[in-house]
Amino acid sequence: MAKKSTAETSSEGEQPEDGSQGPVGKGRPTPSRKQAQAARAQPLVGSRDKAALKAQRRQEQERRERARVGMMQGDERFLTYRDKGPQRRYVRDYVDARWNVGEMLIPMMLVVLVMTFIPGPVQVVSLFVIWAFVAIAIVDAVLLGTVLKRKLGAKFGADKVQPGFRWYAAMRALQFRMLRIPKPQVKRGQYPS
């Protein structure tokens, strides 16, 4: 067996099928390591162009503001995972439509705090008042959870009720109406169907 010469093998491998002579090699010299590294080099911290940084900050601020406004308005795209879904919307609307005892818990605590500075039996009475009010708020939250379980079961199916709705409703009921996020979408007495 005779080996083919390297000239024959290289000429056979480079010839196109149509018989014309194609380009040999890549058509340019191989860059040195220094040139290749310089071509790949990028700054570690990004651009230092002040105008570009300012524009990027402005865009990020506008994006955050859109997300904040969307979340306050109850837009599903901007809500957190905890607040998403039709059942959570129903719970929010139901809690926002009713008067909740827990809404008055913080103002009541402030009154009791002032009353504790008055010496005598007023201090003892104020402590009993605040603990009684806390107990009433807890009972109200438990009743709210019971009513919501029945209503969610009737609307979405008893086996499809999303877990955690009682805690979600109770925490929303304990907040001031004006400080709730997302903002209330219904008026008092306007219960969801």
Side-chain angles (χ1 to χ4, degrees):
M1 285 184 156
K3 289 187 176 182
K4 294 182 180 180
S5 67
T6 57
E8 291 177 11
T9 56
S10 64
S11 65
E12 288 176 4
E14 293 175 4
Q15 287 183 355
E17 293 179 8
D18 62 355
S20 65
Q21 187 71 9
V24 177
K26 60 187 173 205
R28 59 179 173 77
T30 302
S32 68
R33 177 181 288 188
K34 187 176 183 182
Q35 291 169 335
Q37 287 176 345
R40 290 196 308 264
Q42 296 177 357
L44 294 176
V45 292
S47 174
R48 292 180 187 238
D49 182 23
K50 289 187 179 187
L53 288 173
K54 191 173 183 179
Q56 183 181 5
R57 272 196 301 264
R58 191 183 76 253
Q59 287 174 346
E60 185 65 23
Q61 184 179 8
E62 289 171 358
R63 187 190 63 77
R64 279 195 307 265
E65 181 63 20
R66 276 193 314 273
R68 187 189 70 78
V69 169
M71 187 163 143
M72 291 302 231
Q73 293 174 347
D75 188 348
E76 286 285 326
R77 295 175 297 165
F78 300 108
L79 291 177
T80 61
Y81 178 73
R82 175 194 69 177
D83 298 319
K84 284 186 179 179
Q87 290 186 31
R88 296 297 191 193
R89 178 175 291 279
Y90 186 89
V91 169
R92 281 195 307 271
D93 290 346
Y94 191 85
V95 170
D96 294 339
R98 72 190 288 263
W99 288 93
N100 301 294
V101 176
E103 290 179 54
M104 299 307 298
L105 191 59
I106 293 176
M108 191 68 165
M109 285 184 176
L110 291 175
V111 169
V112 168
L113 182 67
V114 170
M115 290 175 66
T116 58
F117 290 113
I118 301 171
V122 175
Q123 289 178 342
V124 177
V125 170
S126 67
L127 291 176
F128 283 119
V129 167
I130 194 63
W131 283 111
F133 198 82
V134 167
I136 291 170
I138 290 172
V139 169
D140 182 52
V142 169
L143 291 175
L144 172 64
T146 305
V147 169
L148 276 173
K149 182 176 183 179
R150 186 170 26 89
K151 291 194 175 283
L152 287 171
K155 184 169 177 78
F156 299 103
D159 57 332
K160 295 180 180 164
V161 174
Q162 192 175 4
F165 71 91
R166 290 177 189 198
W167 186 256
Y168 184 73
M171 290 298 103
R172 191 161 177 92
L174 290 173
Q175 295 174 348
F176 284 130
R177 183 177 168 88
M178 65 185 119
L179 298 179
R180 294 176 185 162
I181 297 176
K183 293 285 185 195
Q185 305 295 312
V186 296
K187 294 180 181 175
R188 299 244 193 222
Q190 188 181 357
Y191 291 94
S193 57

